[in-house]
Amino acid sequence: MELPWLGEHCSERSCKQLDFLPLKCDACGEVFCKDHIRYDDHKCGSAYKKNVQVPMCPLCNTPIPVQKGEIPDIVVGAHIDKDCKYNPAQQKQKIFTNKCLKPGCKRKEMMKVICEQCGGNFCIKHRHPLDHDCKGSSQPISKA
């Protein structure tokens, strides 16, 4: 061996490979080769320090801050009981709310279709003054 001081051996018991570009685990501080640097690959006992996940509220989809030592399930439950801004009525709002004013028509449109002459709200089928027997203007309506 010409340069025995270069490189380090992998800390994984089953590997012990001499690696010239060793990687240091940021959780436990041990040195590993490229095959064992992931927390799961070397069964890191300190991975919980780095594996920080922020729980999300299942109702309003907002992140819930959890302090060290707190159980995430309890914190999310407290959020749901007190601070959750989930509104079930908002989920069930109807889109088609603009009912046609033509007698006998039950159609509803997503957007208002206002007649320029009488100012009434109608469906696409009855939007033209001749289609809904418009009485808004005294001007003669052409059939063009």
PDB file of all heavy atoms in Angstrom, residues 110-138:
ATOM      1  N   MET A 110     -74.230  28.353 -14.620  1.00  0.00           N
ATOM      2  CA  MET A 110     -73.128  28.687 -13.721  1.00  0.00           C
ATOM      3  C   MET A 110     -72.929  30.200 -13.666  1.00  0.00           C
ATOM      4  O   MET A 110     -72.643  30.755 -12.613  1.00  0.00           O
ATOM      5  CB  MET A 110     -71.838  28.018 -14.205  1.00  0.00           C
ATOM      6  CG  MET A 110     -70.707  28.167 -13.238  1.00  0.00           C
ATOM      7  SD  MET A 110     -69.148  27.343 -13.611  1.00  0.00           S
ATOM      8  CE  MET A 110     -69.322  26.544 -15.123  1.00  0.00           C
ATOM      9  N   MET A 111     -73.101  30.870 -14.796  1.00  0.00           N
ATOM     10  CA  MET A 111     -72.935  32.317 -14.854  1.00  0.00           C
ATOM     11  C   MET A 111     -74.267  32.962 -15.180  1.00  0.00           C
ATOM     12  O   MET A 111     -75.113  32.356 -15.837  1.00  0.00           O
ATOM     13  CB  MET A 111     -71.909  32.687 -15.928  1.00  0.00           C
ATOM     14  CG  MET A 111     -70.528  32.185 -15.604  1.00  0.00           C
ATOM     15  SD  MET A 111     -69.337  32.536 -16.909  1.00  0.00           S
ATOM     16  CE  MET A 111     -69.403  34.296 -16.991  1.00  0.00           C
ATOM     17  N   LYS A 112     -74.430  34.200 -14.749  1.00  0.00           N
ATOM     18  CA  LYS A 112     -75.653  34.929 -15.058  1.00  0.00           C
ATOM     19  C   LYS A 112     -75.659  35.315 -16.527  1.00  0.00           C
ATOM     20  O   LYS A 112     -74.652  35.764 -17.068  1.00  0.00           O
ATOM     21  CB  LYS A 112     -75.753  36.190 -14.206  1.00  0.00           C
ATOM     22  CG  LYS A 112     -76.079  35.918 -12.768  1.00  0.00           C
ATOM     23  CD  LYS A 112     -76.297  37.214 -12.025  1.00  0.00           C
ATOM     24  CE  LYS A 112     -76.706  36.913 -10.595  1.00  0.00           C
ATOM     25  NZ  LYS A 112     -77.006  38.114  -9.847  1.00  0.00           N
ATOM     26  N   VAL A 113     -76.813  35.129 -17.169  1.00  0.00           N
ATOM     27  CA  VAL A 113     -77.014  35.580 -18.539  1.00  0.00           C
ATOM     28  C   VAL A 113     -78.164  36.587 -18.471  1.00  0.00           C
ATOM     29  O   VAL A 113     -79.320  36.221 -18.386  1.00  0.00           O
ATOM     30  CB  VAL A 113     -77.362  34.396 -19.473  1.00  0.00           C
ATOM     31  CG1 VAL A 113     -77.538  34.883 -20.900  1.00  0.00           C
ATOM     32  CG2 VAL A 113     -76.285  33.324 -19.397  1.00  0.00           C
ATOM     33  N   ILE A 114     -77.813  37.866 -18.465  1.00  0.00           N
ATOM     34  CA  ILE A 114     -78.774  38.947 -18.253  1.00  0.00           C
ATOM     35  C   ILE A 114     -79.277  39.472 -19.600  1.00  0.00           C
ATOM     36  O   ILE A 114     -78.491  39.767 -20.499  1.00  0.00           O
ATOM     37  CB  ILE A 114     -78.120  40.108 -17.462  1.00  0.00           C
ATOM     38  CG1 ILE A 114     -77.499  39.606 -16.159  1.00  0.00           C
ATOM     39  CG2 ILE A 114     -79.122  41.226 -17.198  1.00  0.00           C
ATOM     40  CD1 ILE A 114     -78.485  39.118 -15.142  1.00  0.00           C
ATOM     41  N   CYS A 115     -80.576  39.608 -19.701  1.00  0.00           N
ATOM     42  CA  CYS A 115     -81.190  40.198 -20.895  1.00  0.00           C
ATOM     43  C   CYS A 115     -80.960  41.711 -20.856  1.00  0.00           C
ATOM     44  O   CYS A 115     -81.210  42.360 -19.837  1.00  0.00           O
ATOM     45  CB  CYS A 115     -82.685  39.878 -20.928  1.00  0.00           C
ATOM     46  SG  CYS A 115     -83.561  40.675 -22.289  1.00  0.00           S
ATOM     47  N   GLU A 116     -80.502  42.278 -21.962  1.00  0.00           N
ATOM     48  CA  GLU A 116     -80.222  43.712 -22.014  1.00  0.00           C
ATOM     49  C   GLU A 116     -81.487  44.554 -21.980  1.00  0.00           C
ATOM     50  O   GLU A 116     -81.453  45.712 -21.577  1.00  0.00           O
ATOM     51  CB  GLU A 116     -79.423  44.044 -23.267  1.00  0.00           C
ATOM     52  CG  GLU A 116     -78.031  43.468 -23.255  1.00  0.00           C
ATOM     53  CD  GLU A 116     -77.273  43.773 -24.545  1.00  0.00           C
ATOM     54  OE1 GLU A 116     -77.823  44.454 -25.435  1.00  0.00           O
ATOM     55  OE2 GLU A 116     -76.127  43.334 -24.644  1.00  0.00           O
ATOM     56  N   GLN A 117     -82.605  43.991 -22.377  1.00  0.00           N
ATOM     57  CA  GLN A 117     -83.834  44.784 -22.450  1.00  0.00           C
ATOM     58  C   GLN A 117     -84.624  44.740 -21.150  1.00  0.00           C
ATOM     59  O   GLN A 117     -85.067  45.765 -20.658  1.00  0.00           O
ATOM     60  CB  GLN A 117     -84.689  44.294 -23.620  1.00  0.00           C
ATOM     61  CG  GLN A 117     -84.008  44.575 -24.940  1.00  0.00           C
ATOM     62  CD  GLN A 117     -84.854  44.132 -26.122  1.00  0.00           C
ATOM     63  OE1 GLN A 117     -85.963  43.655 -25.960  1.00  0.00           O
ATOM     64  NE2 GLN A 117     -84.306  44.309 -27.312  1.00  0.00           N
ATOM     65  N   CYS A 118     -84.833  43.559 -20.582  1.00  0.00           N
ATOM     66  CA  CYS A 118     -85.655  43.476 -19.369  1.00  0.00           C
ATOM     67  C   CYS A 118     -84.834  43.305 -18.095  1.00  0.00           C
ATOM     68  O   CYS A 118     -85.347  43.464 -16.996  1.00  0.00           O
ATOM     69  CB  CYS A 118     -86.678  42.338 -19.482  1.00  0.00           C
ATOM     70  SG  CYS A 118     -85.956  40.690 -19.535  1.00  0.00           S
ATOM     71  N   GLY A 119     -83.548  42.941 -18.216  1.00  0.00           N
ATOM     72  CA  GLY A 119     -82.681  42.787 -17.050  1.00  0.00           C
ATOM     73  C   GLY A 119     -82.866  41.465 -16.318  1.00  0.00           C
ATOM     74  O   GLY A 119     -82.315  41.269 -15.245  1.00  0.00           O
ATOM     75  N   GLY A 120     -83.631  40.544 -16.892  1.00  0.00           N
ATOM     76  CA  GLY A 120     -83.855  39.244 -16.253  1.00  0.00           C
ATOM     77  C   GLY A 120     -82.714  38.285 -16.499  1.00  0.00           C
ATOM     78  O   GLY A 120     -81.948  38.421 -17.453  1.00  0.00           O
ATOM     79  N   ASN A 121     -82.625  37.290 -15.643  1.00  0.00           N
ATOM     80  CA  ASN A 121     -81.593  36.267 -15.741  1.00  0.00           C
ATOM     81  C   ASN A 121     -82.200  35.031 -16.404  1.00  0.00           C
ATOM     82  O   ASN A 121     -83.200  34.504 -15.931  1.00  0.00           O
ATOM     83  CB  ASN A 121     -81.061  35.939 -14.346  1.00  0.00           C
ATOM     84  CG  ASN A 121     -79.945  34.933 -14.394  1.00  0.00           C
ATOM     85  OD1 ASN A 121     -79.161  34.924 -15.327  1.00  0.00           O
ATOM     86  ND2 ASN A 121     -79.882  34.078 -13.398  1.00  0.00           N
ATOM     87  N   PHE A 122     -81.565  34.545 -17.493  1.00  0.00           N
ATOM     88  CA  PHE A 122     -82.114  33.422 -18.238  1.00  0.00           C
ATOM     89  C   PHE A 122     -81.035  32.390 -18.534  1.00  0.00           C
ATOM     90  O   PHE A 122     -79.846  32.669 -18.431  1.00  0.00           O
ATOM     91  CB  PHE A 122     -82.753  33.914 -19.543  1.00  0.00           C
ATOM     92  CG  PHE A 122     -83.896  34.871 -19.316  1.00  0.00           C
ATOM     93  CD1 PHE A 122     -83.705  36.234 -19.349  1.00  0.00           C
ATOM     94  CD2 PHE A 122     -85.159  34.386 -19.033  1.00  0.00           C
ATOM     95  CE1 PHE A 122     -84.749  37.103 -19.116  1.00  0.00           C
ATOM     96  CE2 PHE A 122     -86.220  35.257 -18.801  1.00  0.00           C
ATOM     97  CZ  PHE A 122     -86.013  36.614 -18.845  1.00  0.00           C
ATOM     98  N   CYS A 123     -81.475  31.201 -18.929  1.00  0.00           N
ATOM     99  CA  CYS A 123     -80.535  30.152 -19.334  1.00  0.00           C
ATOM    100  C   CYS A 123     -80.069  30.439 -20.763  1.00  0.00           C
ATOM    101  O   CYS A 123     -80.576  31.352 -21.424  1.00  0.00           O
ATOM    102  CB  CYS A 123     -81.190  28.772 -19.233  1.00  0.00           C
ATOM    103  SG  CYS A 123     -82.531  28.506 -20.406  1.00  0.00           S
ATOM    104  N   ILE A 124     -79.143  29.652 -21.247  1.00  0.00           N
ATOM    105  CA  ILE A 124     -78.602  29.852 -22.593  1.00  0.00           C
ATOM    106  C   ILE A 124     -79.710  29.715 -23.642  1.00  0.00           C
ATOM    107  O   ILE A 124     -79.757  30.464 -24.611  1.00  0.00           O
ATOM    108  CB  ILE A 124     -77.473  28.834 -22.868  1.00  0.00           C
ATOM    109  CG1 ILE A 124     -76.303  29.065 -21.910  1.00  0.00           C
ATOM    110  CG2 ILE A 124     -77.001  28.900 -24.309  1.00  0.00           C
ATOM    111  CD1 ILE A 124     -75.578  30.355 -22.100  1.00  0.00           C
ATOM    112  N   LYS A 125     -80.607  28.785 -23.438  1.00  0.00           N
ATOM    113  CA  LYS A 125     -81.677  28.533 -24.399  1.00  0.00           C
ATOM    114  C   LYS A 125     -82.644  29.716 -24.511  1.00  0.00           C
ATOM    115  O   LYS A 125     -83.148  30.017 -25.582  1.00  0.00           O
ATOM    116  CB  LYS A 125     -82.432  27.276 -23.983  1.00  0.00           C
ATOM    117  CG  LYS A 125     -83.476  26.834 -24.969  1.00  0.00           C
ATOM    118  CD  LYS A 125     -84.118  25.539 -24.496  1.00  0.00           C
ATOM    119  CE  LYS A 125     -85.222  25.108 -25.442  1.00  0.00           C
ATOM    120  NZ  LYS A 125     -85.900  23.902 -24.971  1.00  0.00           N
ATOM    121  N   HIS A 126     -82.885  30.417 -23.405  1.00  0.00           N
ATOM    122  CA  HIS A 126     -83.865  31.513 -23.380  1.00  0.00           C
ATOM    123  C   HIS A 126     -83.217  32.898 -23.253  1.00  0.00           C
ATOM    124  O   HIS A 126     -83.861  33.853 -22.831  1.00  0.00           O
ATOM    125  CB  HIS A 126     -84.854  31.306 -22.227  1.00  0.00           C
ATOM    126  CG  HIS A 126     -85.621  30.041 -22.330  1.00  0.00           C
ATOM    127  ND1 HIS A 126     -85.534  29.049 -21.391  1.00  0.00           N
ATOM    128  CD2 HIS A 126     -86.482  29.595 -23.286  1.00  0.00           C
ATOM    129  CE1 HIS A 126     -86.313  28.039 -21.742  1.00  0.00           C
ATOM    130  NE2 HIS A 126     -86.898  28.339 -22.899  1.00  0.00           N
ATOM    131  N   ARG A 127     -81.951  33.043 -23.615  1.00  0.00           N
ATOM    132  CA  ARG A 127     -81.240  34.310 -23.408  1.00  0.00           C
ATOM    133  C   ARG A 127     -81.684  35.419 -24.357  1.00  0.00           C
ATOM    134  O   ARG A 127     -81.573  36.591 -24.026  1.00  0.00           O
ATOM    135  CB  ARG A 127     -79.735  34.093 -23.503  1.00  0.00           C
ATOM    136  CG  ARG A 127     -79.242  33.786 -24.897  1.00  0.00           C
ATOM    137  CD  ARG A 127     -77.743  33.473 -24.883  1.00  0.00           C
ATOM    138  NE  ARG A 127     -77.218  33.236 -26.199  1.00  0.00           N
ATOM    139  CZ  ARG A 127     -77.130  32.044 -26.773  1.00  0.00           C
ATOM    140  NH1 ARG A 127     -77.540  30.981 -26.118  1.00  0.00           N
ATOM    141  NH2 ARG A 127     -76.628  31.910 -27.978  1.00  0.00           N
ATOM    142  N   HIS A 128     -82.154  35.091 -25.528  1.00  0.00           N
ATOM    143  CA  HIS A 128     -82.572  36.108 -26.495  1.00  0.00           C
ATOM    144  C   HIS A 128     -83.982  36.600 -26.164  1.00  0.00           C
ATOM    145  O   HIS A 128     -84.822  35.842 -25.699  1.00  0.00           O
ATOM    146  CB  HIS A 128     -82.522  35.549 -27.916  1.00  0.00           C
ATOM    147  CG  HIS A 128     -81.136  35.168 -28.338  1.00  0.00           C
ATOM    148  ND1 HIS A 128     -80.129  36.086 -28.488  1.00  0.00           N
ATOM    149  CD2 HIS A 128     -80.597  33.953 -28.618  1.00  0.00           C
ATOM    150  CE1 HIS A 128     -79.029  35.467 -28.854  1.00  0.00           C
ATOM    151  NE2 HIS A 128     -79.266  34.169 -28.929  1.00  0.00           N
ATOM    152  N   PRO A 129     -84.251  37.894 -26.395  1.00  0.00           N
ATOM    153  CA  PRO A 129     -85.563  38.462 -26.055  1.00  0.00           C
ATOM    154  C   PRO A 129     -86.746  37.717 -26.684  1.00  0.00           C
ATOM    155  O   PRO A 129     -87.786  37.579 -26.046  1.00  0.00           O
ATOM    156  CB  PRO A 129     -85.484  39.893 -26.585  1.00  0.00           C
ATOM    157  CG  PRO A 129     -84.020  40.213 -26.552  1.00  0.00           C
ATOM    158  CD  PRO A 129     -83.322  38.936 -26.869  1.00  0.00           C
ATOM    159  N   LEU A 130     -86.603  37.211 -27.891  1.00  0.00           N
ATOM    160  CA  LEU A 130     -87.711  36.486 -28.519  1.00  0.00           C
ATOM    161  C   LEU A 130     -87.961  35.129 -27.850  1.00  0.00           C
ATOM    162  O   LEU A 130     -89.075  34.618 -27.892  1.00  0.00           O
ATOM    163  CB  LEU A 130     -87.432  36.273 -30.007  1.00  0.00           C
ATOM    164  CG  LEU A 130     -87.496  37.531 -30.865  1.00  0.00           C
ATOM    165  CD1 LEU A 130     -87.068  37.237 -32.291  1.00  0.00           C
ATOM    166  CD2 LEU A 130     -88.903  38.116 -30.840  1.00  0.00           C
ATOM    167  N   ASP A 131     -86.936  34.557 -27.237  1.00  0.00           N
ATOM    168  CA  ASP A 131     -87.069  33.228 -26.631  1.00  0.00           C
ATOM    169  C   ASP A 131     -87.741  33.267 -25.268  1.00  0.00           C
ATOM    170  O   ASP A 131     -88.228  32.246 -24.795  1.00  0.00           O
ATOM    171  CB  ASP A 131     -85.693  32.564 -26.508  1.00  0.00           C
ATOM    172  CG  ASP A 131     -85.078  32.295 -27.869  1.00  0.00           C
ATOM    173  OD1 ASP A 131     -85.846  32.059 -28.826  1.00  0.00           O
ATOM    174  OD2 ASP A 131     -83.838  32.314 -27.963  1.00  0.00           O
ATOM    175  N   HIS A 132     -87.768  34.413 -24.609  1.00  0.00           N
ATOM    176  CA  HIS A 132     -88.406  34.463 -23.292  1.00  0.00           C
ATOM    177  C   HIS A 132     -89.552  35.483 -23.236  1.00  0.00           C
ATOM    178  O   HIS A 132     -89.969  35.906 -22.158  1.00  0.00           O
ATOM    179  CB  HIS A 132     -87.378  34.745 -22.168  1.00  0.00           C
ATOM    180  CG  HIS A 132     -86.698  36.072 -22.251  1.00  0.00           C
ATOM    181  ND1 HIS A 132     -85.469  36.242 -22.810  1.00  0.00           N
ATOM    182  CD2 HIS A 132     -87.076  37.312 -21.810  1.00  0.00           C
ATOM    183  CE1 HIS A 132     -85.096  37.507 -22.727  1.00  0.00           C
ATOM    184  NE2 HIS A 132     -86.076  38.187 -22.125  1.00  0.00           N
ATOM    185  N   ASP A 133     -90.084  35.844 -24.379  1.00  0.00           N
ATOM    186  CA  ASP A 133     -91.203  36.790 -24.463  1.00  0.00           C
ATOM    187  C   ASP A 133     -90.897  38.059 -23.670  1.00  0.00           C
ATOM    188  O   ASP A 133     -91.614  38.430 -22.736  1.00  0.00           O
ATOM    189  CB  ASP A 133     -92.518  36.152 -23.969  1.00  0.00           C
ATOM    190  CG  ASP A 133     -92.893  34.934 -24.778  1.00  0.00           C
ATOM    191  OD1 ASP A 133     -92.616  34.928 -26.004  1.00  0.00           O
ATOM    192  OD2 ASP A 133     -93.442  33.982 -24.197  1.00  0.00           O
ATOM    193  N   CYS A 134     -89.832  38.721 -24.043  1.00  0.00           N
ATOM    194  CA  CYS A 134     -89.337  39.899 -23.328  1.00  0.00           C
ATOM    195  C   CYS A 134     -90.354  41.035 -23.371  1.00  0.00           C
ATOM    196  O   CYS A 134     -90.898  41.352 -24.417  1.00  0.00           O
ATOM    197  CB  CYS A 134     -88.011  40.350 -23.949  1.00  0.00           C
ATOM    198  SG  CYS A 134     -87.203  41.654 -23.021  1.00  0.00           S
ATOM    199  N   LYS A 135     -90.569  41.636 -22.218  1.00  0.00           N
ATOM    200  CA  LYS A 135     -91.485  42.768 -22.104  1.00  0.00           C
ATOM    201  C   LYS A 135     -90.765  44.012 -21.589  1.00  0.00           C
ATOM    202  O   LYS A 135     -91.397  44.930 -21.086  1.00  0.00           O
ATOM    203  CB  LYS A 135     -92.643  42.418 -21.159  1.00  0.00           C
ATOM    204  CG  LYS A 135     -93.491  41.274 -21.688  1.00  0.00           C
ATOM    205  CD  LYS A 135     -94.522  40.875 -20.681  1.00  0.00           C
ATOM    206  CE  LYS A 135     -95.426  39.795 -21.152  1.00  0.00           C
ATOM    207  NZ  LYS A 135     -94.845  38.634 -21.739  1.00  0.00           N
ATOM    208  N   GLY A 136     -89.452  44.029 -21.705  1.00  0.00           N
ATOM    209  CA  GLY A 136     -88.655  45.109 -21.129  1.00  0.00           C
ATOM    210  C   GLY A 136     -88.638  46.361 -21.950  1.00  0.00           C
ATOM    211  O   GLY A 136     -88.631  47.466 -21.432  1.00  0.00           O
ATOM    212  N   SER A 137     -88.683  46.281 -23.254  1.00  0.00           N
ATOM    213  CA  SER A 137     -88.542  47.471 -24.098  1.00  0.00           C
ATOM    214  C   SER A 137     -89.743  47.536 -25.044  1.00  0.00           C
ATOM    215  O   SER A 137     -90.275  46.536 -25.485  1.00  0.00           O
ATOM    216  CB  SER A 137     -87.243  47.369 -24.871  1.00  0.00           C
ATOM    217  OG  SER A 137     -87.247  48.254 -25.948  1.00  0.00           O
ATOM    218  N   SER A 138     -90.153  48.770 -25.361  1.00  0.00           N
ATOM    219  CA  SER A 138     -91.293  48.941 -26.268  1.00  0.00           C
ATOM    220  C   SER A 138     -90.835  48.964 -27.719  1.00  0.00           C
ATOM    221  O   SER A 138     -91.648  49.078 -28.623  1.00  0.00           O
ATOM    222  CB  SER A 138     -92.051  50.213 -25.923  1.00  0.00           C
ATOM    223  OG  SER A 138     -91.177  51.306 -26.053  1.00  0.00           O
TER     224      SER A 138
END
